[in-house]
Amino acid sequence: MVNTIFNRFIPNEVKFYPLFKQLSGVIIAAADVLIECAKTQNHDVHSEKYRVIKEYERQGDKIAHAIFDELNRTFITPFDREDIHELAMFMDDVLDGINSSAKRLALYKPKRIPESAVQLAMLIKEATLNLQHISEELESLKKKSETVRSYCKNLHDIENKADDVYDLFVTKIFEEEKDGVELIKLKEILYEMEKTTDIAEYVGKIVRTIIVKYA
Amino acid sequence: MVNTIFNRFIPNEVKFYPLFKQLSGVIIAAADVLIECAKTQNHDVHSEKYRVIKEYERQGDKIAHAIFDELNRTFITPFDREDIHELAMFMDDVLDGINSSAKRLALYKPKRIPESAVQLAMLIKEATLNLQHISEELESLKKKSETVRSYCKNLHDIENKADDVYDLFVTKIFEEEKDGVELIKLKEILYEMEKTTDIAEYVGKIVRTIIVKYA
Amino acid sequence: MVNTIFNRFIPNEVKFYPLFKQLSGVIIAAADVLIECAKTQNHDVHSEKYRVIKEYERQGDKIAHAIFDELNRTFITPFDREDIHELAMFMDDVLDGINSSAKRLALYKPKRIPESAVQLAMLIKEATLNLQHISEELESLKKKSETVRSYCKNLHDIENKADDVYDLFVTKIFEEEKDGVELIKLKEILYEMEKTTDIAEYVGKIVRTIIVKYA
């Protein structure tokens, strides 16, 4: 990060919000690759895509740490530092979930990837778009609280849909898959994807709590 | 909800506590149906009971949202808004856990439901009764902190018992169940039930933290 | 606990920090036994070691409750009570994770314990040492914030390593283990161990949030 004599004069707050937007951008990019990953049955492509996602995950870590560093020297109106800290930590956890999902896909090499995995990846993508919307409104959280609450509600609804996709998928493999190891492999991969929407929903809970706090 | 000119004069706080009692009432009702659900081996009954629980889950969601709405315009002495918000969110999560447990039962159609499932459902019921006791004392949390802490301790003990039931059950099916798919089905169902007592224990942790904060 | 007329004159804060050091000491002791437990293939030894860990778990519970009791009558500069409460709760959860791991080992009686289990136990031990370092610096959290943040980073790195060990292990048993029940047993045991490093990382997150709050 460039830290010349010039941007020393930029108030810290101004540097702070762009970091959140940057983080959500990286998360969306990773979610896009996860969709591509789920769409192919080619194990070599899975490994390639996983490497790309891993790279995004590292970038996300760096941005999150830049946020943490800013927090240690900035007073962010109107927030309490610890709330923003929590928000950044769990947004980064969404990225970790995407990374783990891709990792399992690449490592376990299941014989076939079911359509439900693609559906879950697309729900994850939808969740990350809502994280981006939230990031863009952080500066005006109080003024736009209704709008932001609607994004949080979306995260809740997406999690519910992901839950349904996962449960129907599990029900189906219980009926159809006779190979126990294959069954467990798929269940583990899709479980990690479903859990990623849980974490995104949790980010929504943090945001709603912040809104309640400063309402 | 009736919002006539009359109840505009009722202070907001007065409307607030009944919502918590209402929420805990719905959670208990759902827990009762889960017990009935676990007690039968009839898959049609499982589906029926699940539909009933699903309905409670929707009611719970509405009450939780009514609490959130109240919070956005009420000052609840002596609490910080965000603490009550967290409490309502995780109480609602207990209901979600009951719903997921019933959903898995209905969807996976296991050949037989073990006695341990009934035991877990009864422990969940016990946990929900403690949630109700806590809800009833919210108004006098400071005065009755010792009593409320004992309910939180109950939630902790119930979780420990559920843990033991789950672990013994798993040990047993590892020994007895030769059908791998059946084994996984039952494990997933009972795991969800055990996790529901974890969430109830977490509600207890939130309450204990609130007590510590205002002690 | 001795509570004579003499230690009544000791300021409460002075009694408070030693309890945290004591708690971390018990957690380390339990982690040591878990390593021994994972290193042997003898089921009788597993049961013995589990009983020892169970005993530590009970001691930990008592110390955590002593911390909670202190919190209810002490003003701990410079902390908000609820932060210290959360810290103690989740440190105690690390101990619960160690206990559950040993319990599963003792109950499930897997045919062989893989080397990865020993590696995970050693990573848990490493995590507990960092919890101890943090406990020792609690008194001077503000002055030594950089050092404490490095312990939190260690907890994060340890969790990442544990994640890798777990994922490689699972990939391997998917390839090698033909006995489905044995596969699930081992996965459940090692999963619990990996989750224990997750909780330790979460303690690090709490500490980092506290540092941010009082920075």
Side-chain angles (χ1 to χ4, degrees), chain B residues 9-54:
Chain B
F9 294 107
I10 302 173
N12 274 319
E13 234 177 279
V14 176
K15 289 189 242 158
F16 174 81
Y17 294 111
L19 286 171
F20 261 98
K21 292 177 202 167
Q22 227 177 307
L23 181 56
S24 68
V26 172
I27 300 174
I28 288 174
D32 274 326
V33 181
L34 185 64
I35 296 177
E36 296 166 25
C37 197
K39 274 186 174 165
T40 175
Q41 305 286 343
N42 184 325
H43 293 321
D44 293 338
V45 179
H46 294 154
S47 300
E48 271 169 48
K49 301 285 181 199
Y50 166 52
R51 270 194 299 273
V52 178
I53 289 176
K54 181 86 209 157

Side-chain angles (χ1 to χ4, degrees), chain A residues 87-117:
Chain A
L87 185 58
M89 276 196 305
F90 284 93
M91 271 184 64
D92 196 35
D93 278 356
V94 173
L95 187 49
D96 286 352
I98 295 173
N99 183 58
S100 293
S101 304
K103 188 183 182 184
R104 289 188 174 186
L105 249 171
L107 283 176
Y108 298 172
K109 303 195 195 341
K111 281 180 208 145
R112 49 158 206 100
I113 296 173
E115 182 54 31
S116 320

Side-chain angles (χ1 to χ4, degrees), chain C residues 102-139:
Chain C
K103 189 182 183 185
R104 290 190 174 185
L105 249 171
L107 283 176
Y108 298 172
K109 301 195 195 340
K111 282 180 205 142
R112 47 157 208 101
I113 297 172
E115 182 56 29
S116 320
V118 180
Q119 288 168 25
L120 284 174
M122 291 175 78
L123 285 168
I124 290 172
K125 169 73 186 290
E126 215 184 308
T128 63
L129 289 174
N130 280 282
L131 294 181
Q132 188 180 47
H133 296 330
I134 291 171
S135 300
E136 279 163 358
E137 302 300 356
L138 267 188
E139 272 175 278

Side-chain angles (χ1 to χ4, degrees), chain A residues 149 153 156 160 163-164 166-168 170-171 173-175 177-178 180 183-184 187 191 201-202 205-206 208-209 211-215, chain B residues 50 54 57 61 65 68-69 71-72 81-83 85-86 89-90 92-93 96 100 103-104 107-109 181 184-185 188 191 195 202:
Chain A
R149 272 153 61 101
K153 193 182 174 320
H156 175 77
N160 275 350
D163 219 41
D164 285 343
Y166 177 75
D167 280 325
L168 287 174
V170 173
T171 307
I173 50 163
F174 277 152
E175 283 161 13
E177 184 62 67
K178 295 304 156 205
L183 186 154
I184 298 170
K187 206 165 70 56
Y191 175 77
E201 187 198 12
Y202 188 73
K205 285 187 176 179
I206 294 174
R208 288 198 301 181
T209 304
I211 293 176
V212 162
K213 193 167 171 182
Y214 302 110
Chain B
Y50 166 52
K54 181 86 209 157
E57 195 257 339
D61 255 18
H65 275 93
F68 300 153
D69 286 344
L71 278 175
N72 283 316
R81 270 198 196 102
E82 61 270 26
D83 294 321
H85 186 257
E86 219 187 356
M89 276 196 305
F90 284 94
D92 195 38
D93 278 355
D96 286 352
S100 293
K103 187 182 183 186
R104 288 188 175 186
L107 283 176
Y108 298 173
K109 302 196 195 343
V181 172
I184 299 170
K185 275 185 188 180
E188 293 288 307
Y191 174 77
K195 222 180 63 183
Y202 188 73

Side-chain angles (χ1 to χ4, degrees), chain B residues 25-141:
Chain B
V26 172
I27 300 174
I28 288 174
D32 274 326
V33 181
L34 185 64
I35 296 177
E36 296 166 25
C37 197
K39 274 186 174 165
T40 175
Q41 305 286 343
N42 184 325
H43 293 321
D44 293 338
V45 179
H46 294 154
S47 300
E48 271 169 48
K49 301 285 181 199
Y50 166 52
R51 270 194 299 273
V52 178
I53 289 176
K54 181 86 209 157
E55 199 37 57
Y56 284 128
E57 195 257 339
R58 284 198 190 103
Q59 281 180 37
D61 255 18
K62 272 182 203 155
I63 302 170
H65 275 93
I67 293 175
F68 300 153
D69 286 344
E70 282 301 305
L71 278 175
N72 283 316
R73 51 169 180 258
T74 316
F75 179 67
I76 311 292
T77 46
F79 303 114
D80 280 347
R81 270 198 196 102
E82 61 270 26
D83 294 321
I84 295 303
H85 186 257
E86 219 187 356
L87 186 58
M89 276 196 305
F90 284 94
M91 271 183 66
D92 195 38
D93 278 355
V94 173
L95 187 48
D96 286 352
I98 294 173
N99 183 59
S100 293
S101 303
K103 187 182 183 186
R104 288 188 175 186
L105 249 170
L107 283 176
Y108 298 173
K109 302 196 195 343
K111 282 180 205 142
R112 48 157 206 102
I113 298 173
E115 182 55 30
S116 320
V118 181
Q119 287 168 24
L120 284 174
M122 291 175 77
L123 286 168
I124 290 172
K125 169 72 187 292
E126 216 184 308
T128 63
L129 289 174
N130 280 282
L131 294 181
Q132 190 180 45
H133 296 330
I134 291 171
S135 300
E136 279 163 357
E137 301 300 356
L138 268 188
E139 271 174 279
S140 39
L141 199 60

